[in-house]
Amino acid sequence: MPAPVITAVDLVKKYKDFAAVDGLSFEVAPGESFGLLGPNGAGKSTTMRMVGAVSTRTGGGLGILGLDPNTHGPEIRSQLGVVPQADNLDAELRVRDNLIVYGRYFGLPYSYLRPKADELLAFAQLEDKAKSRVDDLSGGMKRRLTIARALVNNPRIMLLDEPTTGLDPQARHVLWDRLFRLKEQGTTLVLTTHYMDEAEQLCDRLIVVDKGRIMAEGTPASLIREHSSREVLEVRFGSARNAEAAEALKGVGDRIEVLPDRVLVYAHSGEAALARVTELGFEPMTSLVRRSSLEDVFLRLTGRSLID
């Protein structure tokens, strides 16, 4: 087996008496697409900054491409591509010039950067925007340009912090396609996201983090099997009756969860659960049977309360 490109052992990051990251241990293999999921304040971005060699750890071990980021920051950063949450493109430059000028920060020569910029514009489907101003691009185009810029130094690892936040569904799918292509080319992807469908689509493996600790780890499919049922029945009885109905439905399915607007019945067969609900004399206002998803796992592990 090839050596991991990222190895974290009991990784800790403290700010005074607060542990933002509290003992994370994980490995990322070459060419893998690895995800970090968690609510706001869980420690995802702090972990990404340590992996990106821009924040020193407080304790534990961390190796990036066989190097310690606390002592070999410049060497590590030269082999990384970073896509931050917010686009930080240079609005004073044209689209193609953003790529060329960024490449100069790595000391790359113009003889390399000119054809590389054209190659990356083609990859990002922005060839016809090469001479456009950045401010004239749509949100999806800006994200694609940010990803293209992060590839100018041929990085071995791409760090993507919520890469599709704020994009419409069409733009998200175009971006997913670009990331699939990177993975096919052997680039290691490490990403955070709040979109569970995105994690299911892009991640070979992931960890769910809450309060700086790992709550679960595995492939999306294995996490769904371990922490949720095969299907979920969603039934609505009206906000005033949901709790009362849920109490009477105990024993239907594997588990029942009451939300303000509906009742969730976790079961191997949602249709069988719905039949049992009607047998008990309940007539829901609406019903929906769906496959269990990574979002069900995430909410079970981290809770449904909002964390700012």
Side-chain angles (χ1 to χ4, degrees), residues 194-269:
H194 284 301
Y195 296 119
M196 298 300 109
D197 58 336
E198 181 163 272
E200 289 190 56
Q201 288 284 337
L202 296 179
C203 296
D204 300 316
R205 197 164 50 87
L206 55 89
I207 55 175
V208 179
V209 181
D210 194 17
K211 298 177 182 177
R213 298 182 178 181
I214 293 177
M215 307 297 291
E217 179 177 359
T219 66
S222 69
L223 289 174
I224 291 171
R225 286 195 302 270
E226 182 178 354
H227 296 282
S228 191
S229 57
R230 180 174 177 270
E231 293 185 341
V232 181
L233 167 65
E234 298 188 5
V235 284
R236 287 181 167 87
F237 300 97
S239 57
R241 295 190 59 217
N242 283 335
E244 176 188 348
E247 185 68 25
L249 294 176
K250 283 184 177 178
V252 177
D254 304 323
R255 180 169 62 92
I256 290 180
E257 185 176 3
V258 183
L259 303 184
D261 62 331
R262 63 193 185 278
V263 177
L264 304 183
V265 181
Y266 294 87
H268 180 75
S269 170

Side-chain angles (χ1 to χ4, degrees), residues 160-171:
L160 303 114
D161 201 356
E162 299 182 23
T164 65
T165 296
L167 300 186
D168 60 46
Q170 291 87 350

Side-chain angles (χ1 to χ4, degrees), residues 19-34:
V21 175
D22 192 12
L24 297 189
S25 296
F26 60 89
E27 292 184 345
V28 180
E32 186 175 28
S33 182
F34 184 81

Side-chain angles (χ1 to χ4, degrees), residues 282-300:
F282 289 91
E283 296 183 3
M285 298 166 60
T286 64
S287 63
L288 169 69
V289 174
R290 61 174 174 80
R291 294 298 294 262
S292 193
S293 70
L294 196 56
E295 183 166 336
D296 296 303
V297 174
F298 179 83
L299 292 173
R300 184 175 189 185

Side-chain angles (χ1 to χ4, degrees), residues 53-304:
V54 294
S55 177
T56 58
R57 66 186 181 277
T58 306
L62 180 61
I64 313 297
L65 299 169
L67 300 173
D68 185 336
N70 278 12
T71 56
H72 294 80
E75 295 94 325
I76 292 171
R77 288 192 293 271
S78 69
Q79 300 183 75
L80 301 180
V82 179
V83 178
Q85 285 187 33
D87 295 319
N88 56 356
L89 300 165
D90 194 331
E92 302 297 319
L93 300 176
R94 304 288 178 177
V95 168
R96 187 171 183 270
D97 293 336
N98 260 272
L99 302 176
I100 293 175
V101 171
Y102 189 74
R104 292 295 294 158
Y105 289 121
F106 292 93
L108 300 170
Y110 285 111
S111 59
Y112 164 84
L113 287 170
R114 291 189 186 98
K116 185 66 175 179
D118 294 333
E119 172 192 325
L120 291 174
L121 289 174
F123 171 81
Q125 296 180 318
L126 293 171
E127 297 149 293
D128 59 336
K129 300 292 183 179
K131 296 182 180 180
S132 299
R133 293 172 53 86
V134 168
D135 287 342
D136 294 334
L137 300 181
S138 67
M141 290 176 180
K142 288 178 180 178
R143 283 315 261 170
R144 299 206 305 271
L145 180 58
T146 302
I147 289 176
R149 190 186 63 175
L151 292 168
V152 75
N153 59 321
N154 289 322
R156 293 176 61 185
I157 302 173
M158 283 281 285
L159 304 180
L160 303 114
D161 201 356
E162 299 182 23
T164 65
T165 296
L167 300 186
D168 60 46
Q170 291 87 350
R172 287 178 67 207
H173 281 273
V174 170
L175 204 57
W176 287 358
D177 176 67
R178 300 300 99 180
L179 295 177
F180 273 125
R181 293 184 183 220
L182 282 180
K183 186 176 177 299
E184 289 176 344
Q185 295 166 11
T187 303
T188 302
L189 306 180
V190 180
L191 65 113
T192 71
T193 179
H194 284 301
Y195 296 119
M196 298 300 109
D197 58 336
E198 181 163 272
E200 289 190 56
Q201 288 284 337
L202 296 179
C203 296
D204 300 316
R205 197 164 50 87
L206 55 89
I207 55 175
V208 179
V209 181
D210 194 17
K211 298 177 182 177
R213 298 182 178 181
I214 293 177
M215 307 297 291
E217 179 177 359
T219 66
S222 69
L223 289 174
I224 291 171
R225 286 195 302 270
E226 182 178 354
H227 296 282
S228 191
S229 57
R230 180 174 177 270
E231 293 185 341
V232 181
L233 167 65
E234 298 188 5
V235 284
R236 287 181 167 87
F237 300 97
S239 57
R241 295 190 59 217
N242 283 335
E244 176 188 348
E247 185 68 25
L249 294 176
K250 283 184 177 178
V252 177
D254 304 323
R255 180 169 62 92
I256 290 180
E257 185 176 3
V258 183
L259 303 184
D261 62 331
R262 63 193 185 278
V263 177
L264 304 183
V265 181
Y266 294 87
H268 180 75
S269 170
E271 293 293 347
L274 180 58
R276 181 60 181 151
V277 168
T278 57
E279 286 174 8
L280 291 171
F282 289 91
E283 296 183 3
M285 298 166 60
T286 64
S287 63
L288 169 69
V289 174
R290 61 174 174 80
R291 294 298 294 262
S292 193
S293 70
L294 196 56
E295 183 166 336
D296 296 303
V297 174
F298 179 83
L299 292 173
R300 184 175 189 185
L301 291 173
T302 65
R304 292 183 180 270

